[in-house]
Amino acid sequence: MSLLATFTAVRYTPRRAGWGALHMATQRPLLARTPGLRFARLMGSGAGIGFSAVPDPLLWTLFAVWEDEAHWESFRDGSAVMRQYAARGEERYTLRLRPLSAHGRWGGEAPFGEPSLKAAADEPVVVLTRASIRLSRAARFWSRVHPVDETLRGNADLLLTFGVGEVPWLRQATLSVWRSAEAMRAWAYRTPEHAEVVRRTRAEGWYSEELFTRFRLLGTEGTLHGADPLASLGTPDP
C-alpha cells in the first residue's frame, strides 16, 4: 500500500468567510463516508508564519491520508466536500505528499504507520509538526511562539508555511516546506530560540500528545493568492 497524504487550503473572500467555518463544522459526516480515506482533520488557520494565536477567518484547511492516489483523485473530482469548496471558496490549493518518517500520535492514531524513508539531499522536504498543548502549560507555550516565528521570517530556505489548528490555542500544527532536509535541520537545531523551546517542552511537559512527520512533495494543485507558491520546484518523481 502506497499511502498518499494531502493538505488542502481553501481561501474565502471576506464576504464568504462564514462558509469556511460552516464547512469545518458540517463536513465530518461526509468525510466519514469517503472510500479510501484513512484519516482526516478539518482545521482553521492562523495569521502568523507558524503557530499563531490570531485566527485567519479566510483560510481553512483539510489534511487527509489516503490508501492510494486513485482514492484522492476520486474525492477531488467527485466529492460533495470538494464541490462545496469550489462553489463557495475563492481559491483551492493542495499539496500531495508521500510520508517519509513519522514519530508520535494524532488523536491517539498513527495515521502514516511507521514509514522509514529518507529525502534525497537536493529535494524539498515537507514537515508537519502537531501538538496537543496542556491547558496548564498554554501560557508558557504561547509566550515562546513569537521569538521562534521571528527566526523564520526572511529565511530563504523556508518556501511555504501554514499554521493550523483543530482547537484554538490548544491543538495546533504547522506544515512547512523547506528547500532541503539539511536546511530544515540547520534551523531546527542551530537556532537558539527554537532549541530552547524544544528543551522546555521536554523538561516541563508542555504537550499531552505530539506528532512529527516528514514528507516528500509529489506535486501541487491549484493556486493560493493567485499563484502556485511552489511552482518553481516543478514536480518531482514519486
Side-chain angles (χ1 to χ4, degrees):
M1 186 179 296
S2 185
L3 293 183
L4 176 78
T6 57
F7 177 82
T8 298
V10 184
R11 191 174 68 83
Y12 297 80
T13 63
R15 222 179 91 203
R16 290 184 167 179
W19 283 104
L22 182 63
H23 288 160
M24 182 173 175
T26 60
Q27 287 177 342
R28 287 179 179 82
L30 296 175
L31 293 169
R33 299 192 295 269
T34 300
L37 179 60
R38 295 167 54 97
F39 180 89
R41 288 293 186 272
L42 292 155
M43 299 180 287
S45 73
I49 192 170
F51 289 115
S52 178
V54 180
D56 181 351
L58 304 184
L59 192 69
W60 299 81
T61 67
L62 168 62
F63 182 83
V65 182
W66 306 90
E67 291 181 2
D68 52 41
E69 192 138 5
H71 282 100
W72 151 248
E73 291 174 352
S74 178
F75 175 82
R76 177 195 62 196
D77 298 338
S79 70
V81 169
M82 285 301 191
R83 286 197 298 271
Q84 290 174 357
Y85 291 157
R88 301 298 182 182
E90 178 73 6
E91 288 184 296
R92 190 175 72 202
Y93 185 63
T94 297
L95 305 181
R96 294 184 296 109
L97 310 166
R98 180 81 70 222
L100 295 175
S101 62
H103 305 282
R105 293 290 185 271
W106 191 339
E109 297 183 55
F112 316 105
E114 297 182 357
S116 182
L117 302 171
K118 288 186 177 181
D122 59 348
E123 73 173 325
V125 65
V126 182
V127 177
L128 172 70
T129 302
R130 185 265 173 190
S132 291
I133 304 162
R134 297 183 192 276
L135 183 60
S136 62
R137 300 292 188 267
R140 297 182 190 182
F141 171 86
W142 288 108
S143 72
R144 295 286 174 166
V145 164
H146 180 71
V148 173
D149 281 359
E150 286 302 303
T151 69
L152 293 168
R153 295 186 187 280
N155 188 322
D157 292 315
L158 179 62
L159 306 179
L160 183 64
T161 182
F162 296 90
V164 295
E166 302 162 78
V167 177
W169 306 295
L170 295 178
R171 294 183 187 172
Q172 297 289 303
T174 62
L175 186 131
S176 54
V177 184
W178 292 84
R179 195 171 302 279
S180 67
E182 176 56 35
M184 182 275 295
R185 286 193 294 267
W187 173 82
Y189 297 117
R190 300 172 196 165
T191 303
E193 293 85 352
H194 184 259
E196 174 64 9
V197 166
V198 172
R199 185 192 69 78
R200 294 190 63 177
T201 295
R202 301 289 182 264
E204 301 176 15
W206 288 1
Y207 304 151
S208 61
E209 184 183 61
E210 59 184 313
L211 175 69
F212 180 79
T213 309
R214 296 181 188 181
F215 303 91
R216 172 171 290 130
L217 178 64
L218 299 181
T220 62
E221 302 175 14
T223 63
L224 190 65
H225 301 293
D228 179 351
L230 300 176
S232 63
L233 296 177
T235 303
D237 293 332

